[in-house]
Amino acid sequence: MLALLANAAWAFNFVAGKVGVTHFQPFLFTALRFAVLLLVLLPFLRWLPGRMRGVLGIALVQGVLHFSLVFAGLEASGDIVSVAIASQLYVPFSALLAVVWLGETLDGRRLAGIASAFGGVLVIGFDPIVFQHLNALLLITAGAVAMAVATIQMRQLRGVGVFALQAWIALCATSALSLLSLLFEHDQWTALRTATLLELAAPVYSALGASLIGHGIVYHLLGRYPVSVTTPLMLLAPVLAVVFGVLLWGDVLTWKLVLGGILTLTGIAVITGSAANRHAAAS
């Protein structure tokens, strides 16, 4: 039930993000999201001697690059379904980067999973709805690469609590994205002044629902159950995001979206399952 709640929290974040970027421009929306998160996590914000370089690197890549690219992709996209599926490409990208940076190896099963995941996104790209918004797919893919880099950075970071890391990410992202919004966007005050309660709730939910509740539950589960049990359960998030996109946003499922989604999620399941099994064996 906790895993289901975490997946639902993450999946609904795509809907909240789409609502938010329909009114706010991407840099502004992302800055608002992290400003809310920063207010909540201020008690955890403290200097971390010897670890600040790694923490600030993650803050730049994940907080600034990843989230701004994903929300820019959501703004440019014609649907939620393709974004939810394509954003999962961070898993195969992480596997590939781990070979280069961490010296890990890929067996035939994981290589097949990577090929399936990328092949699925290629199929999605030829869907008429997505084809008209290929810039959105490219932005989401770039965001997935950024998340993959951040994943490798987090594997190398030791001795930093989850909330302390999120607090520093929130501080850096709020500052950097506010500046980017001032430089490249316009009418920020008008957007804030005219926002409805639903539009204002979008960045609040994205901060509290997705980051605190979603990630908090997952870290709790990882502390109590084997990785091989916990990690595969997180694959439900993009499936629920597809359901929410159809039911709440009016997305239309075409055969290309369905086929591409199956190929991508199957490939990710293979990669995730292999990694979880290796971790369990090593433990």
Side-chain angles (χ1 to χ4, degrees), residues 62-271:
Q62 185 186 41
V64 180
L65 291 179
H66 167 69
F67 279 99
S68 60
L69 286 167
V70 167
F71 287 124
L74 264 175
E75 181 195 38
S77 69
D79 66 338
I80 292 175
V81 171
S82 62
V83 172
I85 296 171
S87 65
Q88 303 305 306
L89 283 179
Y90 83 90
V91 176
F93 279 129
S94 297
L96 292 173
L97 289 177
V99 174
V100 178
W101 285 0
L102 304 179
E104 295 185 6
T105 58
L106 294 175
D107 55 23
R109 185 177 178 184
R110 296 181 77 200
L111 285 171
I114 291 171
S116 178
F118 285 120
V121 172
L122 285 176
V123 172
I124 289 172
F126 285 102
D127 182 89
I129 297 174
V130 181
F131 192 75
Q132 294 175 8
H133 303 85
L134 278 181
N135 57 329
L137 191 60
L138 292 174
L139 286 168
I140 296 299
T141 302
V145 173
M147 185 61 193
V149 173
T151 300
I152 302 299
Q153 291 174 310
M154 284 186 278
R155 287 187 193 176
Q156 297 173 316
L157 187 67
R158 296 289 184 271
V160 178
V162 175
F163 290 146
L165 177 60
Q166 287 193 326
W168 277 105
I169 292 174
L171 175 63
C172 296
T174 301
S175 306
L177 290 164
S178 296
L179 178 60
L180 289 171
S181 179
L182 288 173
L183 291 174
F184 298 108
E185 296 175 344
H186 54 83
D187 297 330
Q188 291 89 344
W189 174 243
T190 301
L192 287 168
R193 183 171 50 83
T194 60
T196 64
L197 285 177
L198 179 63
E199 289 160 346
L200 289 173
V204 175
Y205 174 82
S206 185
L208 304 184
S211 289
L212 288 186
I213 295 177
H215 286 97
I217 288 175
V218 171
Y219 289 127
H220 170 75
L221 292 176
L222 287 172
R224 298 189 62 182
Y225 301 98
V227 174
S228 57
V229 172
T230 304
T231 306
L233 291 175
M234 297 304 108
L235 288 171
L236 187 59
V239 177
L240 288 177
V242 170
V243 173
F244 291 157
V246 172
L247 295 181
L248 302 178
W249 197 256
D251 286 351
V252 178
L253 281 180
T254 65
W255 72 266
K256 290 179 181 177
L257 284 175
V258 172
L259 176 60
I262 291 173
L263 287 171
T264 299
L265 296 182
T266 299
I268 289 169
V270 170
I271 299 166

